[in-house]
Amino acid sequence: MSQSIVAINARNQFRGKIKEIIAGPVVSEVDVETPAGIVTSVVTSRSIEDLGLEVGSEVLTVFKSTEVLLAKL
């Protein structure tokens, strides 16, 4: 699990699988199970659809001080 996206200048990155998506009309919560624990991100519902994210999808969680980003693997 050492693979990361090098184009993003962020120190904290964890690979994981989506465990749960709580869908909303505009934004949704995405719970990702990582070796470090569960990471929850708030993502626009449109982005979830555009990226094809679903329970079981492998993603990369990228932490910054004010946000958590997801990248589908």
Side-chain angles (χ1 to χ4, degrees):
M1 294 211 167
S2 62
Q3 184 179 5
S4 64
I5 296 175
V6 294
I8 297 174
N9 187 15
R11 295 177 187 210
N12 299 316
Q13 301 177 14
F14 296 105
R15 290 178 70 132
K17 285 190 179 181
I18 295 178
K19 181 176 181 178
E20 182 178 15
I21 297 174
I22 302 170
V26 178
V27 294
S28 300
E29 290 182 37
V30 180
D31 290 340
V32 179
E33 192 163 9
T34 75
I38 299 293
V39 174
T40 301
S41 179
V42 176
V43 181
T44 63
S45 298
R46 180 180 288 180
S47 292
I48 289 173
E49 184 178 322
D50 289 349
L51 291 170
L53 298 178
E54 56 190 26
V55 172
S57 292
E58 283 193 44
V59 294
L60 183 68
T61 61
V62 181
F63 296 86
K64 293 189 75 167
S65 61
T66 59
E67 59 189 320
V68 176
L69 308 171
L70 298 178
K72 186 173 181 182
L73 302 176

